[in-house]
Amino acid sequence: KNEVEQSPQNLTAQEGEFITINCSYSVGISALHWLQQHPGGGIVSLFMLSSGKKKHGRLIATINIQEKHSSLHITASHPRDSAVYICAVLNRDDKIIFGKGTRLHILP
Amino acid sequence: DARVTQTPRHKVTEMGQEVTMRCQPILGHNTVFWYRQTMMQGLELLAYFRNRAPLDDSGMPKDRFSAEMPDATLATLKIQPSEPRDSAVYFCASGLALARGGARGYTFGSGTRLTVV
């Protein structure tokens, strides 16, 4: 069993839909990271959180430390949001453990 | 914006050749990671450094891979000899790890796409 599990693996939605990507982890962490990787390959950091909720534009990330779960939400999704979204946790030994990613495709 | 610079962006080499990838972390960052990304395995941690000292390189095939930080502005990942199965995108990331409980953030470089033929 992977230490970081993401769901769904693939998601196709229509433009404008509300998107939720989930991340569950089984190890103790000091922080959780949401990353975005576009088809060109570059990785961009979206959020780093250790508690609560963060919002940036149409993106919202939440984390529940007790339940070992985080969600990434996209409101009013747009085709340019199409990318792979990766959840990564920073464990107590300062290692980053990656999820397998969620491939999101937003149709116009 | 501060960025992590990786060179080269692309590298095609023949099996058996030495490959050196370079990473310039963001000035002031004290932690540097090397990752490899393949279609099959996704992102894998190869090695990481804190204040230039290697903390963990257990993800790296020791017989052919080596990672160093000759100074605070340069991290290198070397493969010798290279093999076709080393073909992947290699990412470097840097961040500032503060005292326990402090905030951390990591910035990724654009990656080096390595093809070994």
Side-chain angles (χ1 to χ4, degrees), chain A residues 17-34:
Chain A
E17 285 189 39
F18 182 82
I19 303 298
T20 296
I21 299 171
N22 296 299
C23 175
S24 296
Y25 53 91
S26 57
V27 296
I29 70 168
S30 57
L32 183 142
H33 207 159
W34 281 103

Side-chain angles (χ1 to χ4, degrees), chain B residues 101-112:
Chain B
R104 294 177 171 90
Y106 292 93
T107 303
F108 283 76
S110 300
T112 294

